[in-house]
Structure formats: C-alpha cells, structure tokens
C-alpha cells in the first residue's frame, strides 16, 4: 500500500494516546452484538454491493460506505464503524483493508484497537493462505505488523486478552514471532489462552522446525483447554511436513506424534492420514500403511493383530461411580423424575438382590423395533433375558408398572430368570440403570440403545472421557431380531479405540472431517489406518 509506512510512522509518533485497556474488548463484544441486530442476509448484500472483488476504493467511495452503514444500520456509529468495515473485509482482501486504513489516516482519524485487531487477523489469514512460511508476507507487510505491535504496546502497559490474541495473530506472520510468546503469559493473568492462540504458536514452531517448543506448547494447551475441544489438524499436518526430510526423522517423528495421539485420546482427520500415507510411500522399506477394518473382537483385517484391551483402573472406576451417583442419580435426575419413596424402594431392592452381571433397560429393549403390540414387545424382552440366562448371567430388568399388563407368561419368564424392578410410569429409567450397574461393580454391563449424552454432560469435562470409556466397554444394544426368532446383539467394544501400538504396528482411528468439539457420547471409530514401522 502506497502510504501505509507513512501512516504507521505518523500514527506511531502522533496518535499513541492513552486508551482504556479494556476498551477494545468491550468494542469487539459490542460489534458482535450489533451484528446480530440485523440479518446476516442484509450484511452479506452490503459486502457484495460495496466490497466484493475490490482491492481499493476512492476516498469518496469510503465516505459513501460509512454514510450508508450508519443510515441503514442504526447500531453502527462513529465509535464502531471502522472496526465494522475491517470486519467486513474478506480474509483475502488485505489490500482493501490497508486501503481503508490509509483513508482513515488521510481523513485525520486514528484506528482504534478493535480496528487494528481486525487488520492483524487479515494479515494472519493472508499469511496462512500463502503457505505459512517466513516468506508468506512481504517485508513491507511484516514491517506494518510490527508497527502495529509497537503502537499497541506503547498505548497499553498491560494488554487485555483480546489485544493479546490479535497481536499473536499478527506476530506469528513475522520473523519476530518468538517475542510474542510472552503474550501467552499476559493472557493467563485474566483467563486461559484460547486454542487459537496456542495453535498459532505451535504451528509456527513446527514450521520453523523447533519441535521441542511445539510439543511443549501442545502439552500446555492440552492441559489447559476443555477436553471436549479437539486440536486443529493443521498442527499435525505442519509437524509431519517438518519431520519428513529423512528416514530417521520420519520414523522417530511419527512415533512421537502417535504417542501424543494416544496420550490425549485424539482422533485425527483423513487429511492427516493422507499425509502419513504420502510419507510412508516415500520410505517403503521402513514404513507400510493401509486402511483397515477392525472387527468386533478387535482384530485388524490387514495385519491380523489384535488391538489392545484396557479396562478402567479401579481408581478411575471409583471416581466415576462416586461422581455419577452424586451428580446424576442422587444429585437431581432421580428426584426430579421420581419420588423419595420410590428411590428408597429401589435402593433397598438393589442392596437386597444385587450385584448383577448386566442391567437391562426393559422398555428400551422392547421398543427397539418400534411400537408393536404388547405380545411382540414382551417377546423381544424375553429373547434378550433368555440370551443372558443361557450364558449363566444374572441380570436386572428395569421397566415401568404398565408392563404388568403385558402377557402374564412373558412377564413371569422374566421374573423367573432375572431380577425385575418396575418404577412408576412417569419415572426416568437411565438414573436407575446407571445406579444399579455402577453399584454392582466394574465388571457389570448395561443393555440399552440410549447414548446417555445428558449424563455425560452433567459429569463435566474431567470425567466425561472416563464415562465414555466405561460406556464403550460395557454397553450392549439390540440390533434386530430375525424372522427365525434369533436376536442380533451389538456387544460392548472391549478394545482400545485410540491410537496405540501392538508389537511394531500402530492402529490409528480417524474421521473423515475435522470437528472442533468431540462427541458427548461414545462412538466407535469406523475408519482405521494400520501402520507398520520396521526397526533398523
């Protein structure tokens, strides 16, 4: 931009007036609230009309845009209009954004913190779209970013978290990116750094082949963020690119990344898998990789090895049991859906008749094939109870009192071959089922199609992963019943569903698309990579 250096030099010397340190945070929040005051369609139309495919505008055009925005959108005013316009620029419109900054300077104004923050984000977007290398931004663009850094740090002795993250977005595009690491510590004064802030530095460290720093920051991020959040796959893609130069670097580098996936139970995307395949193709004598299928008992279709099995530790089970009984059962669900009298009756019943090998949600099983007549519902439940009875398993069947109206011979079979507790018709089954199963001990299974997302949510992030693992390893569900009367049951998955190594072979689960949030319920991975790393 022709006058950007002139602007930043003049701005730095003339306009670094004091500014309330939380003002930019409030302004960004206000802009986001205001953006919600008018429809997304209106704003998209505005951008298409005035900004799309433009790299610069004449001062007269910018003045017209400002007037139009303030007249058409009542929540846009002189305080937030500059940041609004910068926020409307597409990520590839850096030249247009710089052109608007020049317009502000020539008009005798000064961009506030939020406006400069949006500009830094646009620099960041261009940097990544150009490959994220030290040469992805020109020397002039990098100088502009560093000038903004100087302006903001001169203006504020202490930067708030919003300013810090905007500066991080800018500084990682420059050769002075390491100086921005202190911004992470500054953010920690008031809050936890975001995944974005960590990811920018981790990717930068890996791209500069500072692997030690990258993994150190990655570990810090994983200990800090909510465990429902998933690291961006560009972290792993950048890392793989950094270690792909030599066979020794590749093998040790792959091992390090896969050990990290296992440690944090992370599910990578197919893009990362494709990158691993490209690397293995370059070193066929050392590395062999192919997609594979894992059967119900955990055997790989390619290498024929069995995946590892791992039960919850006694400590994790006790932690889960105590927390779930407190937060989910005693803490609210039962008393909201039942009565103290019924709860006491159930607790006494479990003490008297337990422990059980499996706890069955009777109605969930009966309605597995949809709404049927009472005889069909009863027959399905009888078939499941018979399956466990034939295998010498002692089960508890939970149901509702209206099931007493089902055919007497079927209900009598259930009572003769299982413990049976029927709650009031308005009661909720899940808390009863979870209580009975966890009370019975770590080897007890459950039978239900319910994914129990709400119960996982109530546990909070710390125990959600443990609950999913327990659920994965202990939950049966009915698939269907054949015409001959045989039932097909989906058994619990006992093998590890995270990346792990058996002998010299890694089995790595993956998904087709990256998602920021992991599921609240357990999901058995459908896609696996079998990767053999031969020893030298």
């Amino acid at each position: 931009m022709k006058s950007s250096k002139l602007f930043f030099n003049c701005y730095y010397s003339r306009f670094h007036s004091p500014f309330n340190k939380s003002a930019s945070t409030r302004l960004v929040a206000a802009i986001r609230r205001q953006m919600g005051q008018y429809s997304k369609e209106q704003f998209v139309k505005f951008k298409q009309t005035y900004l799309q495919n433009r790299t610069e505008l004449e001062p007269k055009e910018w003045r017209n845009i400002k007037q139009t925005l303030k007249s058409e959108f009542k929540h846009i005013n002189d305080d937030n209009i500059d940041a609004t316009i910068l926020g409307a620029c597409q990520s590839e419109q850096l030249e247009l954004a710089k052109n608007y900054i020049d317009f502000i300077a020539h008009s005798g104004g000064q961009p506030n913190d939020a406006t400069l923050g949006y500009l830094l984000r646009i620099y960041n977007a261009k940097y990544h779209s150009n490959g994220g290398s030290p040469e992805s931004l020109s020397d002039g663009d990098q100088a502009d970013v560093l000038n903004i850094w100087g302006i903001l740090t001169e203006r504020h002795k202490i930067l708030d978290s919003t300013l810090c993250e905007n500066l991080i977005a800018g500084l990682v595009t420059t050769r002075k990116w390491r100086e921005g690491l202190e911004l992470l510590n500054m953010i920690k004064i008031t809050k936890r750094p975001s995944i974005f802030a960590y990811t920018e530095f981790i990717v930068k460290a890996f791209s500069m082949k500072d692997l030690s720093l990258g993994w150190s920051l990655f570990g810090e991020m994983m200990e800090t963020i909510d465990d429902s959040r998933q690291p961006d796959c560009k972290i792993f893609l950048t890392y793989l690119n950094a270690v792909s130069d030599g066979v020794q670097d590749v093998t040790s580098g792959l091992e390090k990344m896969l050990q990290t996936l296992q440690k944090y139970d992370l599910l990578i995307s197919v893009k990362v898998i494709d990158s691993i395949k490209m690397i293995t193709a370059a070193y066929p004598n050392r590395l062999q990789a192919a997609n594979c299928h894992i059967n119900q008992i955990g055997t790989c279709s390619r290498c024929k090895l069995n995946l590892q099995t791992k039960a919850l530790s006694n400590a994790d089970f006790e932690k889960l049991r105590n927390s779930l009984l407190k937060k989910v059962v005693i803490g609210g669900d039962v008393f909201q859906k039942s009565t103290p009298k019924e709860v006491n009756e159930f607790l006494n019943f479990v003490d008297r008749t337990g422990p059980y090998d499996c706890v069955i949600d009777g109605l969930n099983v009966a309605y597995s094939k949809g709404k049927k007549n009472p005889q069909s519902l009863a027959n399905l439940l009888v078939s499941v109870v018979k399956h466990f009875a034939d295998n010498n398993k002692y089960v508890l069947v939970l149901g509702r009192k209206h099931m007493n109206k089902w055919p007497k011979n079927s209900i009598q079979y259930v009572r003769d071959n299982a413990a049976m507790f029927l709650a009031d018709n308005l009661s909720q089954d899940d808390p009863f089922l979870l209580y009975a199963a966890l009370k019975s001990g770590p080897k007890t299974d459950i039978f239900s199609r319910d994914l129990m997302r709400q119960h996982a949510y109530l546990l909070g992030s710390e125990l959600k992963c443990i609950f999913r693992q327990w659920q994965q390893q202990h939950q049966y569900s009915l698939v269907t019943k054949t015409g001959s009367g045989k039932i097909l049951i989906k058994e619990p998955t006992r093998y590890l569903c995270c990346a792990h190594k058996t002998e010299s072979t890694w089995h790595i689960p993956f998904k087709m698309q990256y998602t920021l949030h992991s599921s609240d319920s357990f999901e058995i991975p459908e896609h696996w990579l079998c990767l053999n790393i031969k020893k030298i």
Side-chain angles (χ1 to χ4, degrees):
M1 76 190 182
K2 293 178 287 187
S3 58
S4 62
K5 291 185 178 179
L6 171 64
F7 162 71
F8 283 118
N9 289 335
C10 293
Y11 181 72
Y12 186 78
S13 61
R14 295 171 54 203
F15 297 116
H16 57 284
S17 56
F19 194 84
N20 187 299
K21 67 180 181 181
S22 62
S24 69
T25 302
R26 293 199 305 270
L27 184 55
V28 169
I31 290 170
R32 287 173 179 165
R33 289 195 301 271
Q34 292 151 8
M35 298 286 273
Q37 299 295 326
Y38 48 85
S39 71
K40 185 182 294 185
E41 291 76 15
Q42 282 180 283
F43 202 66
V44 168
K45 184 177 180 181
F46 161 77
K47 291 194 292 184
Q48 290 174 340
T49 302
Y50 294 99
L51 304 179
Q52 187 168 306
N53 300 323
R54 303 295 298 274
T55 57
E56 66 176 60
L57 298 176
E58 295 296 326
K60 182 179 179 179
E61 292 177 285
W62 282 124
R63 285 191 289 271
N64 180 51
I65 285 175
K66 293 182 70 172
Q67 184 177 355
T68 300
L69 280 172
K70 286 191 287 186
S71 62
E72 292 188 6
F73 305 111
K74 62 181 180 179
H75 299 285
I76 295 179
N77 53 49
D78 289 335
D79 291 331
N80 60 40
I81 191 166
D82 293 338
T84 301
I85 290 174
L86 261 290
C89 291
Q90 302 296 319
S91 59
E92 68 274 11
Q93 290 182 296
L94 176 59
E95 295 306 315
L96 182 64
K98 291 192 292 185
N99 177 247
Y100 183 69
I101 295 293
D102 284 344
F103 164 74
I104 295 175
H106 287 300
S107 300
Q110 52 176 306
N112 57 32
D113 291 357
T115 304
L116 293 176
Y118 276 116
L119 181 59
L120 289 172
R121 296 283 182 151
I122 297 173
Y123 276 111
N124 180 272
K126 181 177 181 181
Y127 165 79
H128 285 298
S129 67
N130 286 350
S133 72
E135 295 76 33
S136 292
L137 288 188
S138 68
D139 290 342
D141 284 342
Q142 292 189 42
D144 286 346
V145 169
L146 294 174
N147 276 329
I148 296 174
W149 180 35
I151 290 167
L152 293 175
T153 52
E154 176 74 13
R155 182 184 284 173
H156 307 286
K157 291 183 179 180
I158 297 178
L159 303 172
D160 64 29
S161 59
T162 300
L163 277 177
C164 285
E165 294 211 355
N166 288 335
L167 280 170
I168 287 171
L171 285 173
V172 296
T173 70
T174 75
R175 294 175 178 85
K176 292 189 176 183
W177 62 276
R178 289 181 186 275
E179 296 184 35
L181 289 168
E182 183 59 32
L183 294 169
L184 285 176
N185 294 326
M186 201 173 291
I187 294 174
K188 293 173 188 175
I189 295 174
T190 56
K191 60 183 291 188
R192 293 182 296 182
S194 67
I195 282 186
F196 168 81
Y198 275 117
T199 299
E200 287 296 312
F201 277 125
I202 295 167
V203 169
K204 185 68 176 185
F206 284 156
S207 70
M208 301 302 292
K209 298 197 174 183
D210 190 340
L211 307 185
S212 177
L213 174 61
W215 285 126
S216 175
L217 290 172
F218 186 90
E220 184 179 312
M221 177 181 72
M222 294 307 299
E223 297 300 326
T224 301
I225 63 174
D226 186 323
D227 75 344
S228 67
R229 309 288 290 275
Q230 293 286 302
D232 196 313
C233 282
K234 67 182 178 183
I235 289 175
F236 306 116
L237 292 170
T238 307
Y239 174 76
L240 289 172
N241 185 62
V243 299
S244 61
D245 291 344
V247 62
Q248 192 62 45
D249 288 341
V250 167
T251 53
S252 61
L254 277 173
E255 291 274 4
K256 172 62 178 177
M257 190 186 89
L258 297 175
Q259 289 165 4
T260 302
L261 297 181
Q262 179 177 12
K263 178 179 179 179
Y264 295 108
D265 192 16
L266 299 176
L267 198 61
I268 54 179
S269 73
V270 69
K271 286 186 177 181
V272 182
I273 293 296
D274 289 342
S275 181
I276 293 174
K277 287 180 179 178
M278 288 180 63
I279 291 173
T280 58
Y283 302 98
N285 294 329
R286 291 292 315 281
L287 303 168
Q288 294 181 351
N291 289 5
C292 64
H293 171 72
I294 307 298
N295 67 16
Q296 182 61 38
I297 62 173
T299 303
C300 173
S301 62
R302 182 172 178 270
C303 67
K304 309 305 180 185
L305 292 172
N306 291 322
L307 273 62
Q308 296 179 26
T309 59
K310 182 182 178 182
L312 286 181
S313 67
N314 290 334
D316 280 346
F317 178 79
E318 287 301 322
K319 188 187 300 183
L320 174 66
R321 173 160 65 180
N322 294 336
S323 181
L324 196 141
L325 296 185
K326 179 180 178 181
K327 293 182 180 180
V328 176
V329 182
I330 306 302
D333 278 10
V334 169
F335 289 114
Q336 289 175 8
K337 302 291 184 178
S338 185
T339 64
K341 179 183 177 182
E342 183 177 62
V343 171
N344 287 329
E345 289 177 355
F346 176 69
L347 299 182
N348 291 332
F349 179 86
V350 171
D351 287 340
R352 188 173 68 253
T353 62
Y356 317 102
D357 294 310
C358 185
V359 181
I360 300 172
D361 184 337
L363 285 176
N364 190 285
V365 167
Y367 285 101
S368 293
K369 295 189 67 177
K371 292 185 177 181
K372 304 287 184 180
N373 59 62
Q375 184 64 65
S376 297
L377 298 174
N379 288 344
L380 206 52
L381 178 58
V382 165
S383 297
V384 171
V385 171
K386 186 176 186 302
H387 169 82
F388 285 98
D390 290 346
N391 287 279
N392 296 316
K393 299 293 185 181
Y394 176 47
V395 301
L396 166 64
V397 175
L398 296 173
R400 309 274 177 82
K401 289 183 177 178
H402 67 76
M403 292 168 64
N404 282 321
K405 298 179 181 179
W406 290 5
K408 290 184 178 180
N409 60 331
S410 298
I411 294 299
Q412 190 58 49
Y413 176 87
V414 174
R415 293 188 183 279
D416 290 342
N417 291 274
M420 189 174 191
F421 184 87
L422 300 181
D424 289 337
N425 292 331
L426 296 179
S427 298
Q428 188 179 28
D429 296 330
D430 291 349
F432 288 96
L433 179 138
L434 291 172
Y435 176 87
L438 292 169
K439 180 76 173 177
S440 294
K443 294 184 179 180
T444 299
D445 297 318
I446 59 176
F447 200 119
S448 175
R449 291 175 300 145
D450 196 321
L451 296 178
M452 303 185 189
R453 291 187 178 94
Q454 71 275 25
H455 304 303
Y457 174 79
L458 286 174
L459 287 172
S461 59
E462 180 183 356
L463 285 171
K464 195 183 298 181
C465 182
I466 296 177
F467 178 73
R468 286 198 297 265
Q469 185 181 347
W470 174 80
Q471 193 180 9
Q472 170 208 315
Q473 296 176 351
H474 290 277
Q475 184 164 353
Y476 287 85
S477 61
L478 184 66
V479 177
T480 189
K481 185 176 182 179
T482 66
S484 63
K486 182 181 179 180
I487 58 171
L488 301 179
I489 292 176
K490 181 180 179 182
E491 297 192 1
T493 302
R494 311 288 187 183
Y495 57 82
L496 285 179
C497 287
C498 63
H500 65 280
K501 190 176 184 180
T502 304
E503 298 178 8
S504 61
T505 300
W506 281 88
H507 291 95
I508 310 155
F510 63 94
K511 52 190 173 184
M512 299 312 293
Q513 288 188 327
Y514 166 76
T515 52
L516 176 60
H517 295 277
S518 59
S519 173
D520 283 339
S521 62
F522 77 94
E523 296 175 357
I524 307 303
E526 296 182 27
H527 310 286
W528 290 81
L529 181 75
C530 177
L531 171 64
N532 180 261
I533 302 177
K534 296 180 181 179
K535 296 180 180 179
I536 296 178

